[in-house]
Amino acid sequence: MNIQSILDFLENIAPSAYQESYDNAGLVVGDAKSALSNVLITLDITEEVIEEAISRNCNLIIAHHPILFKAIKSLKGNNYVERVLLKAIKNDIALYAAHTNLDNVWGGVNFKIAEILALQNPQILVPKKQILSKLTTFCPASYQETILEALWKAGAGNIGNYEQCSFVVEGIGTYRPNEKAQPFIGEHHKLERAQELRLEVIFPTFLQNKILMALRETHPYEEIAYYLHNLENTHQEVGAGLLAELPQAMPERDFLAYLKEKMQLSHIKHTKLLNKPIQKIAICGGSGFFLLKNAIQAKADIFITADIKYHEFFDAENKIILADIGHYESEIFTKDLLFEVLSKKFPNIAFLITNTNTNPVYYF
């Protein structure tokens, strides 16, 4: 098996197209065509992690945080980023990151936190807009199933808990072939009226090329009539943050103790307690302050995230408890998430969770 097989699977569950504009998820270093040995899973890529990969015979490191966020003009080992890249290149170790794309998908980072806290009824807090498209095309009735099957296989027709979704309408198409045409039905220079079906399917916009290729490979017409629409619809399974519920409400202090235990925290920074039970919970692993207003609007009792600045705590305005559990601490279980999904898909590959603690923050 080569490295690309692993990357293809990761791109399927957390497409790079769903990363935020500032992000740099994906393969940063390495040849995806190389044969795979072992895989090391980490939150961050540091020099110690590279050394661990070498000692454990891993030629692929899968991280949550990309090692490269900014462009570099030289590679001389002047800082830890350059030293990591040089050491990875010298030792033929590929570096891949699944970052905000893994944050934004159903079953991703925030869902892992919800799982650890035994929360129920999860839903994306802020679903993304303008990432869905609709294909409309026309075909003979005898080709309906062939075309739809190809489009579904290419990734079209999935809406929430439903798959193979489509809409079909009967109609009459007209066309007149010229002498160069090779019509599926009809004669040169003669107006043809053909019974046709109008097919419509929805698909993630980033799959457009794949969808159109499937259409062209299965459609019988020399010239395929189709058009595409970018949709304003929100994608309910892709977006920022998570909203979920405890099976039963808990007193505030009891919940904070529960949160501390389950997330293995040394401390929690939080706003003033509001003397009301906690049941509805908003979550955003990593730096999630930008979602505070959404958490309040969703009537969450507490918003769990990280990297809250001093003055930002005031913005809770006694409408919600704002809890900062630390960036590393909020995302540490992402390693387990990646290990679980990869081991299940590739049971014969050695996936190893790093023994290196990459948290750069210490407490006295």
Side-chain angles (χ1 to χ4, degrees):
M1 180 180 290
N2 61 18
I3 290 173
Q4 188 65 57
S5 301
I6 305 297
L7 305 190
D8 287 343
F9 173 71
L10 290 172
E11 287 291 328
N12 184 56
I13 63 172
S16 293
Y18 291 153
Q19 67 181 303
E20 299 299 329
S21 59
Y22 61 82
D23 203 2
N24 192 33
L27 184 66
V28 174
V29 169
D31 181 3
K33 296 179 182 178
S34 298
L36 181 70
S37 54
N38 299 326
V39 182
L40 188 64
I41 298 172
T42 182
L43 196 65
D44 308 281
I45 304 174
T46 63
E47 294 171 82
E48 292 81 4
V49 170
I50 298 290
E51 290 291 349
E52 182 181 358
I54 295 170
S55 67
R56 301 177 79 176
N57 191 34
C58 298
N59 69 338
L60 172 61
I61 297 176
I62 298 173
H64 183 45
H65 296 137
I67 184 63
L68 269 179
F69 269 109
K70 300 177 182 178
I72 56 176
K73 295 183 178 181
S74 64
L75 197 56
K76 298 183 288 187
N78 290 333
N79 55 54
Y80 89 95
V81 172
E82 293 182 14
R83 291 192 295 272
V84 163
L85 295 175
L86 284 170
K87 187 167 288 190
I89 293 168
K90 287 179 180 178
N91 290 277
D92 293 323
I93 298 173
L95 307 180
Y96 180 91
H99 191 210
T100 53
N101 47 323
L102 190 59
D103 291 329
N104 286 334
V105 294
W106 192 269
V109 174
N110 298 314
F111 283 78
K112 187 61 181 177
I113 298 172
E115 176 189 322
I116 291 167
L117 297 177
L119 304 183
Q120 300 176 345
N121 305 319
Q123 56 183 291
I124 300 293
L125 180 59
V126 183
K128 281 187 174 294
K129 296 181 179 181
Q130 298 177 331
I131 60 172
L132 290 171
S133 295
K134 184 179 73 169
L135 168 69
T136 302
T137 190
F138 309 85
C139 71
S142 59
Y143 275 77
Q144 174 186 347
E145 296 302 323
T146 300
I147 294 173
L148 285 178
E149 287 290 345
L151 295 175
W152 293 332
K153 187 176 180 180
N158 297 316
I159 304 175
N161 294 325
Y162 298 86
E163 57 184 21
Q164 298 187 355
C165 301
S166 66
F167 189 74
V168 182
V169 180
E170 294 182 0
I172 297 176
T174 64
Y175 53 90
R176 187 170 66 178
N178 63 27
E179 65 278 2
K180 297 179 181 179
Q182 298 178 1
F184 180 71
I185 299 173
E187 301 176 11
H188 294 156
H189 304 293
K190 182 179 179 181
L191 181 64
E192 183 69 30
R193 291 179 173 84
Q195 290 285 340
E196 292 183 313
L197 298 179
R198 171 184 170 132
L199 310 181
E200 297 183 358
V201 290
I202 290 176
F203 62 92
T205 301
F206 76 93
L207 291 176
Q208 178 174 311
N209 290 340
K210 188 176 181 181
I211 296 295
L212 292 179
M213 183 180 295
L215 176 65
R216 293 186 182 106
E217 288 177 349
T218 54
H219 203 291
Y221 287 177
E222 181 181 17
E223 298 289 348
I224 305 172
Y226 72 90
Y227 50 91
L228 301 167
H229 281 121
N230 293 323
L231 303 179
E232 291 295 322
N233 305 48
T234 55
H235 195 318
Q236 297 300 317
E237 295 185 350
V238 179
L242 186 72
L243 192 67
E245 298 176 346
L246 286 164
Q248 293 183 333
M250 296 175 65
E252 293 163 320
R253 292 188 180 277
D254 290 352
F255 176 75
L256 290 175
Y258 175 76
L259 174 64
K260 193 173 184 179
E261 175 194 354
K262 291 295 183 179
M263 295 297 292
Q264 302 175 18
L265 307 172
S266 62
H267 73 285
I268 300 173
K269 295 195 297 183
H270 62 84
T271 53
K272 179 181 177 182
L273 300 184
L274 303 178
N275 296 317
K276 64 178 184 178
I278 289 178
Q279 185 164 26
K280 185 178 287 190
I281 298 168
I283 298 168
C284 183
S287 305
F289 176 76
F290 68 99
L291 294 173
L292 176 60
K293 290 183 179 179
N294 303 97
I296 294 173
Q297 186 177 15
K299 300 188 184 303
D301 301 309
I302 187 170
F303 179 30
I304 302 167
T305 187
D307 298 341
I308 305 302
K309 298 177 181 178
Y310 174 82
H311 291 284
E312 291 173 340
F313 279 96
F314 288 106
D315 292 337
E317 296 191 280
N318 293 324
K319 296 177 181 178
I320 193 172
I321 297 173
L322 182 56
D324 184 334
I325 64 174
H327 196 120
Y328 180 88
E329 291 82 359
S330 72
E331 297 182 330
I332 184 63
F333 293 103
T334 303
K335 295 186 292 186
D336 300 281
L337 167 65
L338 288 166
F339 177 82
E340 290 161 8
V341 297
L342 286 165
S343 297
K344 182 177 180 180
K345 177 65 177 179
F346 303 100
N348 298 322
I349 299 296
F351 294 98
L352 310 172
I353 295 179
T354 181
N355 296 320
T356 305
N357 183 339
T358 62
N359 191 353
V361 181
Y362 291 81
Y363 302 95
F364 183 73

mmCIF file of all heavy atoms in Angstrom, residues 1 7 52 63 92 147 150 159 186 350:
data_model
loop_
_atom_site.group_PDB
_atom_site.id
_atom_site.type_symbol
_atom_site.label_atom_id
_atom_site.label_comp_id
_atom_site.label_asym_id
_atom_site.label_seq_id
_atom_site.Cartn_x
_atom_site.Cartn_y
_atom_site.Cartn_z
ATOM 1 N N MET A 1 0.844 -1.193 0.000
ATOM 2 C CA MET A 1 0.000 0.000 0.000
ATOM 3 C C MET A 1 0.882 1.247 0.000
ATOM 4 O O MET A 1 1.904 1.291 0.681
ATOM 5 C CB MET A 1 -0.906 -0.002 1.226
ATOM 6 C CG MET A 1 -1.833 1.201 1.320
ATOM 7 S SD MET A 1 -2.891 1.149 2.780
ATOM 8 C CE MET A 1 -3.970 -0.217 2.340
ATOM 9 N N LEU A 7 -4.159 8.897 2.375
ATOM 10 C CA LEU A 7 -4.570 10.290 2.157
ATOM 11 C C LEU A 7 -5.926 10.363 1.464
ATOM 12 O O LEU A 7 -6.742 11.241 1.774
ATOM 13 C CB LEU A 7 -3.509 11.043 1.347
ATOM 14 C CG LEU A 7 -2.085 11.021 1.904
ATOM 15 C CD1 LEU A 7 -1.212 12.011 1.143
ATOM 16 C CD2 LEU A 7 -2.063 11.318 3.391
ATOM 17 N N GLU A 52 10.762 10.636 16.866
ATOM 18 C CA GLU A 52 9.950 9.471 17.250
ATOM 19 C C GLU A 52 9.524 8.686 16.016
ATOM 20 O O GLU A 52 9.531 7.443 16.019
ATOM 21 C CB GLU A 52 8.726 9.928 18.049
ATOM 22 C CG GLU A 52 7.856 8.770 18.527
ATOM 23 C CD GLU A 52 6.636 9.215 19.303
ATOM 24 O OE1 GLU A 52 6.467 10.441 19.522
ATOM 25 O OE2 GLU A 52 5.837 8.339 19.678
ATOM 26 N N ALA A 63 -1.005 14.769 11.356
ATOM 27 C CA ALA A 63 -1.171 15.720 12.451
ATOM 28 C C ALA A 63 -2.504 16.451 12.308
ATOM 29 O O ALA A 63 -3.119 16.462 11.238
ATOM 30 C CB ALA A 63 -0.026 16.724 12.452
ATOM 31 N N ASP A 92 12.780 11.005 4.438
ATOM 32 C CA ASP A 92 11.670 10.514 3.599
ATOM 33 C C ASP A 92 10.396 10.282 4.406
ATOM 34 O O ASP A 92 9.724 9.256 4.283
ATOM 35 C CB ASP A 92 12.070 9.226 2.883
ATOM 36 C CG ASP A 92 13.162 9.458 1.854
ATOM 37 O OD1 ASP A 92 13.141 10.511 1.195
ATOM 38 O OD2 ASP A 92 14.051 8.590 1.723
ATOM 39 N N ILE A 147 -27.336 6.814 -15.568
ATOM 40 C CA ILE A 147 -26.763 8.126 -15.264
ATOM 41 C C ILE A 147 -26.845 8.429 -13.772
ATOM 42 O O ILE A 147 -25.867 8.870 -13.159
ATOM 43 C CB ILE A 147 -27.459 9.225 -16.088
ATOM 44 C CG1 ILE A 147 -27.148 9.035 -17.571
ATOM 45 C CG2 ILE A 147 -27.033 10.612 -15.613
ATOM 46 C CD1 ILE A 147 -27.915 9.959 -18.490
ATOM 47 N N ALA A 150 -24.319 6.527 -11.708
ATOM 48 C CA ALA A 150 -22.968 7.090 -11.859
ATOM 49 C C ALA A 150 -22.819 8.373 -11.049
ATOM 50 O O ALA A 150 -21.778 8.607 -10.409
ATOM 51 C CB ALA A 150 -22.670 7.340 -13.326
ATOM 52 N N ILE A 159 -28.214 13.877 1.136
ATOM 53 C CA ILE A 159 -28.822 14.966 1.893
ATOM 54 C C ILE A 159 -29.096 14.463 3.304
ATOM 55 O O ILE A 159 -30.014 13.662 3.522
ATOM 56 C CB ILE A 159 -30.123 15.471 1.243
ATOM 57 C CG1 ILE A 159 -29.882 15.893 -0.212
ATOM 58 C CG2 ILE A 159 -30.700 16.627 2.047
ATOM 59 C CD1 ILE A 159 -31.143 16.295 -0.948
ATOM 60 N N GLY A 186 -32.744 10.689 -34.323
ATOM 61 C CA GLY A 186 -33.067 11.745 -35.274
ATOM 62 C C GLY A 186 -32.221 11.706 -36.531
ATOM 63 O O GLY A 186 -31.288 10.905 -36.669
ATOM 64 N N ALA A 350 -0.038 -0.433 10.691
ATOM 65 C CA ALA A 350 0.313 -0.034 12.058
ATOM 66 C C ALA A 350 0.153 1.472 12.224
ATOM 67 O O ALA A 350 0.967 2.247 11.711
ATOM 68 C CB ALA A 350 1.743 -0.457 12.372
#
